[in-house]
Amino acid sequence: MKLATLTAVVLPLFMGMVTPAKAESKSPIQRLLETKQCQGCDLSGANLAGADLSHADLRGANLNQANLSGANLFGANLSNTNLNNANLINSNLFEANLSNCNLERAELANANLSLINLSGANLNRANLSNANLGIANLSEANLRQANLNGANLIGANLKGASMDGANMQGANVDYASLNQENLVGKKGD
């Protein structure tokens, strides 16, 4: 009887000390850097400066106030993401998909945005000074009060884009597709 009582008390204690090893859960940033997959992730305020995120899938992610300066986002899918107040200065977004993105007040100065899809994107008050938007799709985009000073818009599609109050001083719009409405309320020549 003593052995049975001792076993009944000691065995559960011993079993309690032996626990299966748990896999450490990775942060969304670690997962993104390792797999380049993070659809719908909350990456608000994340520091991803200089990160290689080429061909990453970030559809629907929250990158509000994220630092992506100098990041390589070549061919990345950022459709429907929130990049409000994000820092994308000097970033490479060549052939990226940012359709229907919120880029309000985003910093995109000197960024490579050529062949990018920004259709339906909100770029209200975004800084796109000296950005390369050659052959970019900006159809139906909101560019109200955006800073496009010195931007390259050669061959860009701006049909249906709202550009009220946009700073276009020094911007190159050669061969761009524009509607007469695009020119209403723009600043500069």
Side-chain angles (χ1 to χ4, degrees):
M1 191 70 156
K2 288 183 184 180
L3 183 59
T5 304
L6 185 59
T7 302
V9 172
V10 174
L11 188 58
L13 289 174
F14 178 71
M15 294 301 287
M17 289 190 285
V18 179
T19 57
K22 291 183 181 177
E24 290 184 37
S25 62
K26 294 182 181 180
S27 74
I29 294 173
Q30 289 173 312
R31 186 175 75 213
L32 172 62
L33 293 173
E34 290 174 12
T35 68
K36 296 189 181 183
Q37 302 287 314
C38 208
Q39 303 92 335
C41 290
D42 184 4
L43 298 165
S44 54
N47 184 2
L48 295 162
D52 179 11
L53 300 171
S54 56
H55 301 287
D57 189 347
L58 287 155
R59 289 173 290 167
N62 181 8
L63 289 154
N64 180 45
Q65 297 183 339
N67 182 3
L68 292 152
S69 61
N72 181 12
L73 291 151
F74 168 76
N77 189 348
L78 292 121
S79 60
N80 299 302
T81 60
N82 179 12
L83 287 155
N84 185 40
N85 288 302
N87 179 353
L88 292 148
I89 295 172
N90 295 315
S91 60
N92 178 22
L93 288 137
F94 182 80
E95 291 187 340
N97 180 5
L98 278 83
S99 59
N100 301 307
C101 266
N102 180 12
L103 288 148
E104 187 167 357
R105 291 188 172 97
E107 289 291 334
L108 293 146
N110 302 308
N112 181 5
L113 305 165
S114 53
L115 292 170
I116 193 170
N117 181 2
L118 283 161
S119 61
N122 179 11
L123 292 147
N124 184 39
R125 295 187 174 140
N127 180 11
L128 294 149
S129 61
N130 299 308
N132 181 4
L133 288 146
I135 315 175
N137 181 1
L138 291 149
S139 61
E140 305 298 325
N142 176 3
L143 290 158
R144 289 185 183 111
Q145 298 181 3
N147 181 5
L148 291 153
N149 183 27
N152 171 19
L153 291 155
I154 295 173
N157 179 0
L158 291 157
K159 289 192 175 186
S162 303
M163 299 177 70
D164 296 343
N167 179 1
M168 299 290 290
Q169 188 171 8
N172 187 344
V173 292
D174 290 346
Y175 308 106
S177 300
L178 294 161
N179 294 339
Q180 190 64 30
E181 301 85 46
N182 294 123
L183 304 176
V184 176
K186 74 169 183 65
K187 299 177 189 173
D189 267 17

